Amino acid sequence: MRSDAIHTIHGGGAPPALGTAPGHFNFLPQVSLPFDMPEGPVAIAEMADLFGVTHRTLHFYEEKGLITAKRSGAMRIYHGGDIQRMAVINACREIGMPVAVIQDLMEELTTTTSQAEADELFHTMLARRKRELTADISNIRRQMQQIESLLSGEDEDEVNETCRPVSLALTDMEGRCLALMAEGYSAPRIARVLNLQFEELRHMEDGIIRKFEATNRFQAVAKALLLGVVPN
């Protein structure tokens, strides 16, 4: 059942049912979640609801060997190990990490011999992804400059209207949220910092993404940086 508490999922010690999917994980990276760890197995509907994904997404992860559902009669169920793995997978997908890279990460995690080693491996992958996003921002900035150069013959007000998203007025809370997003804070961490319920934070992030006419939080941050809404 959901709660307002942020629960830390980790693979240290002897977590329940870690071997329910291909590859045995003695240790998994510590990932914060906005719900309490279920005490027993969960059905696919609850699993999807916990992580805000579709049934098809869970089937896809099964096809890729990342998680495995067992059956209780006609019902597909997931044990604690799969919930722990899904926490890591979901965190990776939220930052745009390709599935193939996640597969490599999970494979490497099967060889870790301590919690510190698992966390270090995860942090190395996060740092690599951050460098990729930074490079993407630089490319977007260069492309925007090229567009502005091509449009230099047009009226300046028209160019500004073309480049700037509509409805960009942010509330103070949205501004703080956007600044934390730009710093790379995860959604659960932003919720804690701003003293918001997780669903309130999600609603605010969705609003910010819409205001920047972006498709996800990373595009919104990139546009905010380009427009000078948040400092680079």
Side-chain angles (χ1 to χ4, degrees):
M1 180 176 296
R2 291 180 182 276
S3 76
D4 298 334
I6 302 295
H7 188 78
T8 299
I9 303 297
H10 60 86
L18 277 183
T20 59
H24 180 77
F25 297 84
N26 291 317
F27 301 93
L28 286 168
Q30 299 184 71
V31 177
S32 295
L33 291 177
F35 55 80
D36 289 329
M37 185 70 172
E39 295 182 359
V42 298
I44 188 170
E46 185 178 355
M47 182 77 154
D49 184 55
L50 286 174
F51 290 100
V53 299
T54 64
H55 291 199
R56 182 68 192 93
T57 297
L58 294 175
H59 290 314
F60 175 73
Y61 291 154
E62 289 182 41
E63 292 169 2
K64 296 300 180 181
L66 296 174
I67 57 175
T68 297
K70 291 191 174 181
R71 289 192 176 274
S72 177
M75 184 182 299
R76 301 170 69 86
I77 61 173
Y78 297 88
H79 290 272
D82 294 295
I83 297 172
Q84 292 175 311
R85 279 187 288 276
M86 185 61 189
V88 178
I89 296 165
N90 200 56
C92 291
R93 291 300 291 158
E94 284 192 339
I95 61 173
M97 192 177 291
V99 170
V101 176
I102 299 174
Q103 288 176 306
D104 291 341
L105 170 64
M106 301 304 278
E107 178 65 26
E108 290 186 61
L109 285 170
T110 62
T111 67
T112 57
T113 58
S114 69
Q115 185 64 56
E117 186 180 350
D119 289 337
E120 182 179 1
L121 178 61
F122 187 51
H123 293 163
T124 298
M125 300 290 282
L126 293 178
R128 184 183 306 165
R129 181 58 183 158
K130 184 176 181 180
R131 289 193 297 270
E132 292 172 351
L133 292 173
T134 300
D136 288 344
I137 291 173
S138 297
N139 289 333
I140 291 172
R141 182 180 291 108
R142 176 178 53 79
Q143 291 167 0
M144 289 289 288
Q145 290 173 344
Q146 290 175 337
I147 291 173
E148 290 176 1
S149 177
L150 292 170
L151 294 173
S152 59
E154 299 184 12
D155 181 79
E156 183 177 349
D157 290 338
E158 183 178 347
V159 173
N160 290 337
E161 182 65 24
T162 301
C163 296
R164 183 177 291 272
V166 297
S167 304
L168 198 52
L170 300 176
T171 65
D172 290 341
M173 185 66 80
E174 286 176 332
R176 293 174 61 193
C177 179
L178 179 60
L180 293 173
M181 290 164 62
E183 288 293 324
Y185 281 45
S186 66
R189 188 177 178 189
I190 294 176
R192 291 198 300 271
V193 171
L194 298 182
N195 195 27
L196 295 172
Q197 302 292 338
F198 186 72
E199 291 303 322
E200 292 177 320
L201 185 278
R202 282 297 197 193
H203 181 73
M204 181 179 297
E205 280 195 352
D206 289 343
I208 292 171
I209 291 170
R210 285 194 301 271
K211 288 185 177 182
F212 280 94
E213 297 182 349
T215 58
N216 55 54
R217 73 196 315 254
F218 306 105
Q219 281 190 8
V221 168
K223 288 188 175 184
L225 290 169
L226 290 171
L227 294 169
V229 178
V230 293
N232 187 3

